[in-house]
Amino acid sequence: MPRRPRPRAERTGRRPPHPARPAPAPPPLRGGWVREEGGWTVRSISGTAATKTYRCPGCDQEIVPGTPHVVAWPAGDDEETVERRHWHTGCWRRRV
């Protein structure tokens, strides 16, 4: 009676490689820099992090998903507990 062929790893004496570990999850896409400007805390939001539609208070136009922009909230307030405003970057620079 013929023998069954052994799996390749057994024939060569090597073990199959361990499965690769999954890469660690990337940090959340929250944007780039954060700084204080004239009583406001301002955070930049990259285009890839912009996933919702907002209305810019500077020009009253929509900020569509995928558009880089800035988010501003009163300085000293916690970012998560205040009402933030999303601005086009150019509108934020022109405000005054």
Side-chain angles (χ1 to χ4, degrees):
M1 174 185 234
R3 294 184 344 175
R4 259 183 40 205
R6 295 185 308 178
R8 173 172 239 157
E10 290 179 23
R11 285 190 306 232
T12 61
R14 291 185 295 172
R15 291 184 175 175
H18 292 290
R21 289 184 180 165
L29 296 173
R30 302 240 7 212
W33 48 262
V34 177
R35 63 182 176 219
E36 301 280 327
E37 289 186 19
W40 293 89
T41 302
V42 184
R43 176 189 301 276
S44 71
I45 303 295
S46 68
T48 56
T51 58
K52 293 174 33 180
T53 300
Y54 300 99
R55 185 155 302 270
C56 174
C59 65
D60 200 34
Q61 299 295 312
E62 287 187 346
I63 302 172
V64 297
T67 304
H69 61 282
V70 297
V71 178
W73 63 94
D77 288 349
D78 180 25
E79 177 185 8
E80 302 301 324
T81 61
V82 299
E83 193 169 327
R84 298 171 291 175
R85 299 283 185 231
H86 293 253
W87 293 70
H88 290 109
T89 305
C91 293
W92 177 255
R93 289 182 184 145
R94 285 190 297 270
R95 81 191 188 297
V96 177

